[in-house]
Amino acid sequence: MGNSQEPQDFNISVMPSSLTPVHVAKAAEGLNLYDTASHQVSHFVPLKPGEVGIYVCGATVQSSPHIGHIRAAVAFDIVRRWFLKLGYKVTFVRNVTDIDDKILDKAAAAGQRWWARAYYYEREFTEAYNTLGVLPPTVEPRATGHMSDMIDLIQRILDNGHGYVVTDADGKPTGNVYFDVASWPHYGELTHQKQTSEVDEAAAVADRMGPSVDATGADKYNPVDPADASPDKHDPRDFALWKAPKSTDPEDARWATPFGVGRPGWHIECSAMSHRYLGDGFDIHGGGLDLRFPHHENEMAQTRAAGFPSAARWMHSAWVTAKGEKMSKSLGTGLSVPSVLAEHSAWVVRYALGSVQYRSMLEWSDQALVEAQAAYDRVSNFIERAGVALGDLKPNRDEITAVPADDLPADFVAAMNDDVNVSGATAAIFTAIRSGNTLLSQLADRADSETAKAEVREALLAVRAMLDTLGLDPLAEPWVSAGVAGGAGGAADGTAESPEHAALEALIAEQLNARAEARKAKDFAKADQIRDALTEAGIAIEDGPQGSTWSLK
């Protein structure tokens, strides 16, 4: 079959940054991460010094993305950004499952070509990722582009005696190939399941929380694969590596192999693509908690049974819940990303999605979005006030991105090194903002104005660098272009501000000028009237030695 030889100089060909020398921060020595397989938080050591390889299971592009999908994307985007801030060269692979029973069935019901449906929703996912500031992956392989890799991998499993081909009465291959679980004594090591139906407490969490976000049936081990219910299996635990097509499957959704015409099982796709782009063993395999079993358990087993090392560490992001129930389409609680973004800014939605540690359940509610909006107001208020006070001395975007992990506040670094504890990291940001606001309030009374401004600048640099590490610097893309920077708009960064902010700035500036003239004329009643009117409209006024500034309350 096709040759699965590794691409040569992969990082250099797709990652220009790989040409830059790697300087890993000293802070990296303190990084500890949880491993699903060991159930323990342990010190992280990369397989290759200075480099980190990450594979995250991406979307099955059957329909529009919802908050449950995007939470995992934001969670692992933050993990990736921390590795980058620590100075590692990161190869980040996120796949697209574009051939699947659900895609085929939904396309047929809608009178669509299956590949057209898959591509349409793949673009919707990409738009959601981009809108919410998720960095594009190093490579984003589609399952349909790696059939030869899957076929080669299956053949290795068969050659090693860990799979079997189902034949018909004439001894001809039917297209159904199964992994022989009984032949692999290590099966169950990821989820700590024994070679029986018994599971440990940690493995039972997924079952208690309910079906996958993409649930389409009663089977808790979702997605439902008819091939896995076949009477041709030797053991109920065996799972499909390759499966014969259904009679309703289009002709262009079938591939010829030595073991018959068909298409891949769900699990084999990720084993093939992770090995293709990350080689023999890599640092981290990530995904949502609902993928832990059976998908990742099966993936680990078949990869190792083929003779390749599996991921050194497995990380899983927890679910989004609504009123304590797991958000899923089958439960009718799924919220599409476009509908959420129609009512809230992308920055606020990202903040809400990334507001807790990736392993913690995230309760999605109006209150969570209100708190995220309040966080934005506090952040933008400080950044704008500091920018006005500093004038031309304010740091630019290049300075923000250049701040190394070793120069970030110690409490922020400690929180991020503690299994990417975003809640602790966010607390560190608001501690710095409180200190920065105190410095700003004292600025007018400080005789050593240059020293005072330097302290404000240092505080602003630290706050924005921490925010940037979480993908939340309001003066970075995509927030600036999307016009969501609000009161912290482009003026503080030398970039174009949003039309809304420019109009508001002009209207308020006129009122502030009128107030200044009234105070100059000692007409304090009129000055107070203007201030009260602005306050009533939600505008906070701050008087300082350089004049009056405003911010949204």
Side-chain angles (χ1 to χ4, degrees):
M1 300 312 301
N3 189 341
S4 294
Q5 181 180 355
E6 295 294 325
Q8 296 299 308
D9 296 324
F10 171 72
N11 278 323
I12 292 177
S13 65
V14 300
M15 292 183 65
S17 62
S18 65
L19 301 175
T20 304
V22 175
H23 298 290
V24 178
K26 184 175 178 56
E29 297 175 3
L31 178 59
N32 295 288
L33 297 172
Y34 184 79
D35 179 23
T36 300
S38 68
H39 289 180
Q40 293 180 343
V41 174
S42 60
H43 180 54
F44 175 80
V45 178
L47 297 177
K48 297 179 181 178
E51 300 181 19
V52 176
I54 303 175
Y55 183 92
V56 172
C57 286
T60 298
V61 286
Q62 54 165 318
S63 54
S64 296
H66 61 75
I67 292 301
H69 292 125
I70 302 303
R71 192 273 166 104
V74 170
F76 284 102
D77 185 61
I78 293 172
V79 171
R80 178 190 186 184
R81 286 173 181 267
W82 183 235
F83 276 117
L84 290 171
K85 179 57 69 174
L86 288 172
Y88 286 106
K89 180 172 68 177
V90 180
T91 302
F92 190 92
V93 182
R94 185 185 65 214
N95 75 296
V96 175
T97 297
D98 60 344
I99 180 73
D100 173 88
D101 278 305
K102 294 186 294 296
I103 294 172
L104 294 174
D105 293 344
K106 290 183 177 182
Q112 302 166 319
R113 303 293 293 272
W114 65 270
W115 46 263
R117 182 183 183 90
Y119 185 55
Y120 178 87
Y121 288 113
E122 179 186 334
R123 287 183 294 171
E124 276 204 7
F125 270 87
T126 299
E127 177 66 19
Y129 295 144
N130 292 341
T131 301
L132 293 171
V134 175
L135 296 173
T138 310
V139 65
E140 191 166 33
R142 299 188 183 103
T144 53
H146 295 78
M147 291 299 169
S148 63
D149 296 297
M150 296 180 213
I151 294 167
D152 286 351
L153 192 63
I154 293 171
Q155 191 61 59
R156 288 180 65 99
I157 295 171
L158 293 172
D159 292 344
N160 290 342
H162 298 298
Y164 54 93
V165 177
V166 176
T167 56
D168 61 18
D170 298 324
K172 296 181 180 178
T174 63
N176 285 321
V177 184
Y178 291 97
F179 184 85
D180 185 359
V181 171
S183 75
W184 187 249
H186 304 289
Y187 189 81
E189 289 184 356
L190 175 63
T191 52
H192 292 244
Q193 299 189 60
K194 299 177 182 179
Q195 290 281 25
T196 67
S197 60
E198 181 183 348
V199 297
D200 69 1
E201 179 59 22
V205 171
D207 294 342
R208 289 203 304 270
M209 288 302 296
S212 161
V213 292
D214 296 318
T216 56
D219 188 345
K220 65 184 178 181
Y221 299 138
N222 192 76
V224 176
D225 189 337
D228 285 343
S230 170
D232 295 327
K233 297 198 303 182
H234 295 175
D235 186 303
R237 298 167 301 167
D238 295 350
F239 55 89
L241 298 173
W242 195 263
K243 51 191 181 181
K246 298 177 297 183
S247 60
T248 55
D249 288 353
E251 290 298 321
D252 58 359
R254 311 175 187 211
W255 287 262
T257 76
F259 23 88
V261 173
R263 53 189 172 85
W266 176 35
H267 317 296
I268 200 68
E269 298 176 0
C270 288
S271 287
M273 288 184 282
S274 61
H275 183 260
R276 176 69 171 176
Y277 294 101
L278 294 172
D280 291 349
F282 52 95
D283 296 287
I284 294 171
H285 194 311
L289 187 59
D290 52 336
L291 300 179
R292 185 170 171 268
F293 186 85
H295 182 48
H296 287 165
E297 185 69 70
N298 293 351
E299 190 183 335
M300 171 191 274
Q302 68 195 8
T303 297
R304 295 171 64 189
F308 301 125
S310 185
R313 186 181 300 261
W314 294 75
M315 298 173 66
H316 293 91
S317 59
W319 292 290
V320 177
T321 58
K323 297 181 179 179
E325 294 292 326
K326 181 174 175 296
M327 186 176 291
S328 78
K329 294 177 183 176
S330 63
L331 297 177
T333 56
L335 293 175
S336 71
V337 173
S339 66
V340 174
L341 290 175
E343 299 181 2
H344 307 278
S345 77
W347 192 100
V348 166
V349 174
R350 179 183 172 106
Y351 182 95
L353 286 171
S355 60
V356 299
Q357 185 190 42
Y358 71 96
R359 285 198 289 132
S360 299
M361 300 295 178
L362 174 64
E363 177 67 16
W364 191 258
S365 64
D366 290 339
Q367 181 60 33
L369 290 163
V370 168
E371 292 173 0
Q373 181 64 54
Y376 175 76
D377 293 341
R378 291 176 64 189
V379 166
S380 60
N381 183 13
F382 169 68
I383 291 176
E384 181 174 4
R385 289 182 63 210
V388 170
L390 292 173
D392 293 337
L393 295 176
K394 54 184 170 283
N396 59 37
R397 177 71 187 146
D398 288 341
E399 286 182 85
I400 302 300
T401 58
V403 176
D406 290 337
D407 290 348
L408 293 172
D411 51 350
F412 180 86
V413 173
M416 293 299 286
N417 272 345
D418 181 18
D419 197 26
V420 195
N421 182 359
V422 176
S423 297
T426 303
I429 292 173
F430 286 112
T431 295
I433 287 176
R434 284 194 296 273
S435 298
N437 281 328
T438 299
L439 291 171
L440 284 168
S441 66
Q442 297 171 347
L443 198 59
D445 301 326
R446 293 275 295 271
D448 55 340
S449 60
E450 293 305 313
T451 300
K453 283 188 176 181
E455 292 173 356
V456 170
R457 190 181 196 280
E458 183 179 350
L460 178 59
L461 185 65
V463 167
R464 286 188 58 195
M466 288 187 287
L467 288 166
D468 187 57
T469 302
L470 302 181
L472 290 171
D473 179 11
L475 303 182
E477 295 296 346
W479 320 121
V480 173
S481 293
V484 298
D493 200 38
T495 55
E497 60 189 13
S498 69
E500 295 87 350
H501 181 268
L504 189 61
E505 175 71 53
L507 291 172
I508 296 175
E510 182 178 351
Q511 293 296 306
L512 291 181
N513 288 336
R515 178 170 175 265
E517 290 298 323
R519 295 176 73 184
K520 187 177 181 180
K522 301 189 182 302
D523 188 350
F524 298 112
K526 182 177 180 181
D528 290 344
Q529 182 182 20
I530 294 173
R531 183 186 183 111
D532 291 344
L534 290 172
T535 300
E536 183 69 23
I539 308 298
I541 304 302
E542 183 82 18
D543 295 321
Q546 288 84 25
S548 299
T549 60
W550 65 272
S551 62
L552 296 175
K553 293 170 61 178

